Amino acid sequence: MKINGVAHRTIWPNPDKPTEICIIDQRVLPHRISIEKLITKEQATRAIKEMYVRGAGLIGATAGFGMYLATLNAPEDAADFSQYMATYAATLNNSRPTARNLKWAIDRLLTAIDTVHTTQEKQKIAFATACEIADEDADYCRRIGEHGLQLIKEISKRKQGEPVNILTHCNAGWLAFVDYGSATAPIYAARDAGIPIHVWVDETRPWNQGARLTAWELQQENIANTLICDNTGGHLMQHGMVDMVIVGSDRTTHTGDVANKIGTYLKAVAAKDNNIPFYVALPSSTIDWELDKGHDIPIEQRDEKEITSVMGLDDKGNITTVRLSAPGTKAANYGFDVTPARLVTALITERGVVAANKEEIHRLFPEGKTLT
Amino acid sequence: MKINGVAHRTIWPNPDKPTEICIIDQRVLPHRISIEKLITKEQATRAIKEMYVRGAGLIGATAGFGMYLATLNAPEDAADFSQYMATYAATLNNSRPTARNLKWAIDRLLTAIDTVHTTQEKQKIAFATACEIADEDADYCRRIGEHGLQLIKEISKRKQGEPVNILTHCNAGWLAFVDYGSATAPIYAARDAGIPIHVWVDETRPWNQGARLTAWELQQENIANTLICDNTGGHLMQHGMVDMVIVGSDRTTHTGDVANKIGTYLKAVAAKDNNIPFYVALPSSTIDWELDKGHDIPIEQRDEKEITSVMGLDDKGNITTVRLSAPGTKAANYGFDVTPARLVTALITERGVVAANKEEIHRLFPEGKTLT
């Protein structure tokens, strides 16, 4: 999607030197547009762990390229090569505990690398697979947009030309994937179909993905949007100001429970209380075919400083961190929560809209069974 | 309650010069402890409107003293005096649309002033009534503590010595009243009764009353507490980490609906979903005896800059405002939401714990009927 009118992806190999992987440093958006290069596997891990990149699809794509970068310095000997890659895979997999796409991408790279024998072949197939993951992520998001568009169209029919009001939490936009986004893809598709849309953007404390990324990304694409603090969505729902909720997912159990950014559950339970449809948009790469219960999804806990402080732009144009609370204030920083399937109206996947239950999910993804 | 070990109230007449009313500027807490003096009625209005002072009880007490300050410069002629006071009363009443205590305190002052005839008598009774409102507010909060203590005791019995985990939203602490607080009074009473307590403090965007005021106030009183972002409470409830919720109220209908800081409803609906008791602590001064439906409570909308920016302390110790979102980001800032009575386990008032319905509320406050 576009930044200052120019189409971008969130991750791409440098065309002049494909062993360098380019990313946009999302920590400083929207105040700075800073392109960083990943050259070593450690840089890839750090980019994920320290959230230069974030979001289900983009974490997966970055992990794919991280595995590729690892092959470039792996030992020649086949057994040593495997050991080296396995060690790195374990480190990489631990960088963000809740994100399903991490393991999914790592496993896909390990499997691909195993199909060939020479180091050069392994490097070549690692690069091709990482690119394939990125392309596929963009393509799946585009398809999510097509399926989600039908849901928006239905709601639009009864709005008599008034905008469809969509509430979203965090950033499941193109910045969270390689392109299009999951929750935003139907919004972009609706815009292209001429349906008037207005998006309520949860600011999404503590990292302010909504304030910093989603509001900016929608602004860049000329989608009408209003930033709200995370406390506001319930009030808007009570007053008929929200027609539907669409969020993303960082891990979805094959039974339909959804781990997404902390606070998602509060919006889901409020949507239920107000009979507002609550949709979760996700490529199948976020589905965990092993976990039966959302309760068992590991929930990342991050530094308490993300709660006690906040970063922004001061009046001199400097990126500045300010402390919000008194010195010595203790804080807890849970990164995700789990929305039980009973609160999810449906999942919007690359293959279509599906009820959030085991039977329907497995019917749409019959190959999923082989992964449980 | 205490600041640096010294007992304070939130508002008091200067003992050396009672025509000066002292307040603590809550806009800069906890970074600065700045005592301001209100000398004119305009300063009193501004203190409320610009949130030097805030919170149900403290708004009422400040309005009382504001009316007193108005009497000091009112014209001598009786009719002109009345007109002058009525004009000021209307201005003052519009300063915070949702706060019930504002009208309650203003009406009480107008009634008191009407019982005497000379300007000097009017000034004297205005001062006495304003002091009475402040003293009564502190006393009612203390009593709320005694009644709420019984609820905490019950929960404590099954905790086997583990702390009772109480979640609160915004600041309904002593800083929101004259002393003790409403939601915090039972917590302080439990502490005094030797019951182990731990408080989850919602940071309460956008004004960060939780991060800046509640966490600090509890820290000053040595109550164990953990600051969380507003998104977190649902996750904690799902994991058995919250035993009860206690919040305050800015306006309570006589049918039991509760207007409180934006985001309160989200916690109430999540508490219901997890079978966690949700209590609202309030002195009867917040009860609106005229409104039957919470839906009809006017909801204050504030400047969008409170959403797009945030204030804190930079690393040089300066109070600094930083912008969170891109230039041109549009934001909406609703200050309150309404929690319907069906989600409220009970109200904790100065007269006791009462079910959130018209019959029970009127049974406890039979004189309320005369005000409808």
Side-chain angles (χ1 to χ4, degrees), chain B residues 55-56 67 76 78 126 129 154-155 168 180 190 206 282 322 330 340 358:
Chain B
M67 291 291 284
E76 283 284 330
T129 306
E154 278 307 305
I155 291 171
T168 192
Y180 306 105
L282 55 113
V322 294
K330 195 183 143 198
K358 187 173 172 180

Side-chain angles (χ1 to χ4, degrees), chain B residues 5 28 32 48 75 84 153 180 185 205 234 246-247 272 301 327:
Chain B
V28 294
R32 306 271 187 273
I48 294 171
Y84 181 91
K153 263 190 187 158
Y180 306 105
R205 280 280 291 153
I246 314 181
V247 297
K272 187 78 167 185
Q301 292 188 59

Side-chain angles (χ1 to χ4, degrees), chain A residues 203 205 227 265 273 330, chain B residues 203 205 227 265 273 330:
Chain A
E203 68 173 344
R205 281 280 292 151
L227 179 64
Y265 162 68
D273 197 45
K330 195 183 143 198
Chain B
E203 69 172 344
R205 280 280 291 153
L227 180 64
Y265 162 67
D273 197 45
K330 195 183 143 198

Side-chain angles (χ1 to χ4, degrees), chain B residues 36 69 72 96 125 144 183 190 218 223 231 239 252 286 294 335 366:
Chain B
E36 299 273 337
L69 292 175
L72 299 180
R96 297 291 309 272
I125 203 165
I144 286 169
L218 294 173
I223 307 278
N231 287 321
H239 286 76
T252 315
T286 77

Side-chain angles (χ1 to χ4, degrees), chain A residues 203 205 211-212 219 227 230-231 238 241 262-263 265 273-274 310 312-313 323 325 327 330-332 334 338 342, chain B residues 203 205 211 219 227 230-231 238 241 262-263 265 273-274 310 312-313 323 325 327 330-332 334 338 342:
Chain A
E203 68 173 344
R205 281 280 292 151
R212 298 196 300 105
Q219 196 181 22
L227 179 64
D230 302 310
N231 287 320
Q238 289 177 310
M241 295 160 82
I262 191 83
Y265 162 68
D273 197 45
N274 291 283
V310 70
L313 208 67
R323 184 158 51 73
S325 53
K330 195 183 143 198
Y334 295 88
V338 174
R342 67 184 159 84
Chain B
E203 69 172 344
R205 280 280 291 153
Q219 195 181 22
L227 180 64
D230 302 311
N231 287 321
Q238 288 176 311
M241 295 160 82
I262 191 82
Y265 162 67
D273 197 45
N274 291 282
V310 71
L313 208 68
R323 184 158 52 72
S325 53
K330 195 183 143 198
Y334 295 88
V338 174
R342 67 183 158 85

Side-chain angles (χ1 to χ4, degrees), chain B residues 184-203:
Chain B
T184 51
I187 292 167
Y188 294 131
R191 185 261 322 264
D192 294 344
I195 299 172
I197 296 282
H198 168 261
V199 184
W200 295 107
V201 178
D202 275 3
E203 69 172 344

